[in-house]
Amino acid sequence: MATSGTDLSFFDASTLPSGANMRVGIAVAEWNSQITDNLYRGAVDTLIELGVPTDCMVTYRVPGAFELPHACKKLIDRHDLSAVIAIGSVIQGETKHFDFICQSTAQGIMDLNTQQDVPVIFCVLTDNNLQQAIDRSGGQHGNKGVEAAVAAIKMAAL
Ligand code: DLZ
């Protein structure tokens, strides 16, 4: 994998747009919550660092990654948002469930991106095992929640 041995979560806030006038929605899956809670914390802390006021963030929690596209659509329909971040963690099991959830979640989020104006950021880890997920949610490969927040600010400013 291209990120092997690399922490991509460092960013220079001075090179990014200010989030001061932005409103950001966050949909978080509860499945593998030890991972998604860390991704969520990384995203929220980074949005705050980039200037998004805490009262301009709206969070919806859903059972699993499969429900993220629906939650993102509801966030967009109900709130006047600059961007949405979809947070989940899918870990490979012994059945094909993993493939169906990953494929449908990614496609659902892509459909939202092409069918309406609010950018939806894909912060769904799709890992072979728990350790890989830990490494990418505040471990040795950084925190993908941080990267998702940076992407949200960039896309909102397009
Ligand atoms: C059922 C299921 C399985 C097996 N694995 C995961 C997972 O690793 N990560 C995740 O976010 N959700 C998982 N789910 C739950 C589905 O996303 C969904 O919530 C249920 O199928 C109900 O629609």
Side-chain angles (χ1 to χ4, degrees):
M1 186 71 184
T3 56
S4 180
T6 309
D7 179 351
L8 298 175
S9 299
F10 290 109
F11 64 91
D12 180 357
S14 70
T15 66
L16 295 170
S18 168
N21 295 314
M22 295 182 184
R23 294 175 56 81
V24 179
I26 308 175
V28 192
E30 292 169 339
W31 196 283
N32 296 321
S33 62
Q34 71 186 99
I35 304 300
T36 59
D37 285 351
N38 283 342
L39 295 171
Y40 177 72
R41 181 44 52 200
V44 168
D45 287 349
T46 303
L47 291 172
I48 292 169
E49 188 174 343
L50 295 175
V52 180
T54 52
D55 63 357
C56 291
M57 299 181 202
V58 187
T59 298
Y60 283 7
R61 296 188 183 274
V62 295
F66 188 81
E67 285 73 40
L68 286 172
H70 185 78
C72 292
K73 184 172 186 307
K74 280 234 155 57
L75 279 163
I76 292 165
D77 290 347
R78 292 174 176 172
H79 306 274
D80 182 23
L81 298 174
S82 316
V84 172
I85 301 171
I87 294 177
S89 166
V90 194
I91 298 176
Q92 180 105 53
E94 293 180 357
T95 70
K96 294 181 78 169
H97 220 101
F98 175 85
D99 303 287
F100 288 119
I101 293 173
C102 292
Q103 174 60 33
S104 52
T105 303
Q107 188 63 55
I109 291 172
M110 179 53 77
D111 288 347
L112 289 173
N113 275 297
T114 55
Q115 292 169 8
Q116 50 77 51
D117 285 337
V118 179
V120 182
I121 306 304
F122 186 75
C123 183
V124 180
L125 299 184
T126 57
D127 294 303
N128 295 325
N129 54 59
L130 179 61
Q131 188 59 51
Q132 287 182 343
I134 291 169
D135 290 345
R136 289 158 180 78
S137 57
Q140 62 174 322
H141 297 317
N143 187 325
K144 298 300 174 189
V146 172
E147 297 168 39
V150 170
I153 295 295
K154 286 181 175 177
M155 292 304 294
L158 265 186

